[in-house]
Amino acid sequence: MAAIPVVATGIGLVSALGTTLASNWQRLLKGETGIALHQPFAELPPYPLALVGDRPTDLATLTAQVVQAALVDAQLAPPLADCGIVIGSSRGCQAEWEQWARQWHQQGIPPDHNWLDRLPHAAAMTAAREVGTRGPVLAPMAACATGLWAVAQGYELLQTGVCERVLVGGVEAAVTRLSISGFAQMGVLARQGAYPFDRQRQGLVLGEGGAVIVLETAELAQRRGAALYGQVLGFGLAADAEHTNAPSQTQAGAIAALKQCLHHSGLTADQVDYIHAHGTATRLNDQFEATLIQNWFPPQVAISSTKGATGHTLGAAGAMGLAFCLLALKHQVLFPTVGLQQPDFALNLIQQPQLAHLQALLCFSFGFGGQNAIAAVGNPARIGSFQA
C-alpha cells in the first residue's frame, strides 16, 4: 500500500531566541544567540543558560503558548474534536516536583491536590485541553530523541487512518536545580557558551522551549486550502542501549535509524541536501555525528546545528530542529551554526546564511540510553499531482 502523503501546515516555536516563529527565524539567520549567563538558583553557581524569559518557565505555560501558536499559524481554531495529539517531554513537570520535594522536606508541606496534572504526560494533556480533542493523546519519552519520536508516532496515526490531523512535537522546561546539578556532575555543561563542532567546544548549554507542528494528510490540507511548509517523507527509530549517557562506539543504532529513514523516505544519501545535526557541542556527540556523516554522506552535504542559538532543549530538541528544517525548506535558505568559529571536522558546516536549492532535509536526534531518531522532510512538490 502506498504511503499517505503527510504535510506540515503550521508551526509553533518558542525558544530563547524568541516567542514567535518570525523572531526565531530572523534571529537565527542573523547568527544571534539566546544563551546568556544566569543564576536562577542561589545555591548553584551561574551557568550559561538559554531561557525563554528572565526566569525559568513552567511546562504548562510553555505548552499552551506553543500549541496556540501552531494552531494560529495553521489557520485552525479549537475545538478540533478528531485531532490527534503526540507531544512529549524528557523532563516533564520536574521543576514542580523538585519544588514540592523542597517544601515537604523543609516545611512538611506535601504535594498539593493537582499532582495528577504533573505526571510525565502533562504536556500532552495540556495540549489536548487547548485543542479540545476527543482523539488519541500520546506522550512519548525518549530522552533527547523525544521530539522526533513524537513526529514519527503522529505520522503513523495519519498513515493508519486513525486521524487526518495531528499536533506533534516536544516541549521542555529543562532549567531546574536537578537538571543543572546532574549535567554539571557529569562534566558536560559549558561554562561560556555552546559551540557545536568547534575545536574549542566546551559542552552543552541547557535551554528551554518547544516546537509543535501541525501535520495533516495532503488530502485534508488540499480541501481546506492550507499553506504548506513541506512534506514529511519518513523517519527511522532505533535504540542500542549500549551506554547510559555516551554515544555507541559502534554507531549501530544510529546507522539502523539512518538506513530506516532513507528507505522509508525513498532517498539515497546523495539526494540529501542538508542535515540538521543534533550538535550538542559536547566532545563525544559532535565526534560521533561527524564520523557518522563522513561515513555515510558525500562531502558536499550541508550541515548546521541550532543549539549554539537555542541551547539544548533535551526532549524538545528534535521537534525544534525539524521546525527549523521546515522553515529552511519554505524559504530555501540554509541557516548558520551559531557559535562555530573554528571547525574541528572536515564537514560542510554552514557558518553564514546561504540561499540554496533544497529538496530533501534530514534532522538528527540522539539521546541518552542509546535513543536514535532521524526524520526526513522534503519539498511538497514530491507529492506528485497534489499542488500546494
Side-chain angles (χ1 to χ4, degrees):
M1 182 183 297
I4 298 170
V6 171
V7 293
T9 60
I11 301 173
L13 178 59
V14 173
S15 79
L17 284 178
T19 57
T20 67
L21 200 59
S23 60
N24 274 273
W25 182 242
Q26 291 164 6
R27 291 192 66 193
L28 180 61
L29 291 183
K30 292 177 181 177
E32 297 180 9
T33 183
I35 295 170
L37 193 66
H38 293 280
Q39 189 178 15
F41 310 110
E43 63 271 36
L44 298 177
Y47 281 98
L49 299 168
L51 300 179
V52 171
D54 296 330
R55 299 287 301 172
T57 188
D58 68 274
L59 189 73
T61 299
L62 185 59
T63 302
Q65 189 175 14
V66 178
V67 169
Q68 290 167 7
L71 294 177
V72 169
D73 190 49
Q75 297 187 331
L76 296 170
L80 302 171
D82 299 323
C83 182
I85 302 292
V86 191
I87 296 178
S89 180
S90 166
R91 288 296 186 272
C93 293
Q94 180 178 304
E96 286 89 343
W97 283 98
E98 288 181 30
Q99 184 62 32
W100 286 340
R102 287 169 62 87
Q103 291 176 347
W104 203 347
H105 175 71
Q106 296 174 357
Q107 305 171 32
I109 302 174
D112 67 25
H113 65 282
N114 292 322
W115 68 270
L116 283 171
D117 287 337
R118 301 296 185 268
L119 294 177
H121 59 298
M125 291 168 57
T126 298
R129 289 167 180 159
E130 291 292 326
V131 172
T133 184
R134 295 192 299 271
V137 179
L138 306 179
M141 182 179 286
C144 299
T146 296
L148 289 189
W149 278 78
V151 173
Q153 287 185 323
Y155 179 91
E156 286 300 313
L157 288 176
L158 298 178
Q159 291 299 317
T160 55
V162 175
C163 306
E164 286 188 293
R165 177 186 294 125
V166 293
L167 267 63
V168 300
V171 185
E172 202 78 89
V175 180
T176 77
R177 292 174 174 85
L178 182 58
S179 293
I180 292 174
S181 300
F183 282 108
Q185 186 70 22
M186 288 164 50
V188 297
L189 283 187
R191 296 312 300 256
Q192 279 80 42
Y195 314 123
F197 298 104
D198 195 275
R199 292 177 188 174
Q200 303 302 320
R201 64 191 185 277
Q202 305 171 346
L204 64 86
V205 168
L206 281 174
E208 54 187 20
V212 167
I213 302 169
V214 180
L215 297 183
E216 304 181 61
T217 64
E219 181 182 355
L220 176 58
Q222 185 178 31
R223 287 203 308 265
R224 70 183 192 89
L228 307 185
Y229 285 97
Q231 180 183 1
V232 178
L233 304 178
F235 58 87
L237 308 173
D240 52 64
E242 184 175 308
H243 196 278
T244 56
N245 58 356
S248 166
Q249 294 184 1
T250 66
Q251 299 195 330
I255 291 170
L258 176 58
K259 286 182 175 180
Q260 285 179 37
C261 183
L262 293 175
H263 174 72
H264 293 156
S265 304
L267 296 171
T268 59
D270 59 0
Q271 291 177 311
V272 175
D273 302 307
Y274 168 79
I275 297 171
H276 183 286
H278 194 51
T280 61
T282 59
R283 305 304 300 184
L284 291 179
N285 175 85
D286 289 8
Q287 178 66 68
F288 170 87
E289 280 195 279
T291 301
L292 180 69
I293 293 167
Q294 288 168 337
N295 287 344
W296 285 87
F297 294 90
Q300 70 269 19
V301 64
I303 301 154
S304 62
S305 166
T306 50
K307 290 184 177 62
T310 66
H312 191 353
T313 55
L314 307 182
M320 290 174 65
L322 198 66
F324 282 120
C325 285
L326 290 166
L327 287 168
L329 194 61
K330 176 182 177 180
H331 297 289
Q332 293 291 288
V333 174
L334 292 172
F335 45 83
T337 305
V338 177
L340 174 62
Q341 298 295 325
Q342 297 178 307
D344 196 26
F345 307 98
L347 298 170
N348 182 19
L349 290 158
I350 304 303
Q351 294 182 261
Q352 297 294 331
Q354 297 179 16
L355 294 174
H357 182 63
L358 301 174
Q359 293 292 323
L361 293 73
L362 298 187
C363 183
F364 286 3
S365 273
F366 303 115
F368 281 178
Q371 300 285 359
N372 304 276
I374 299 175
V377 293
N379 193 311
R382 293 173 60 93
I383 298 173
S385 60
F386 177 77
Q387 297 296 318

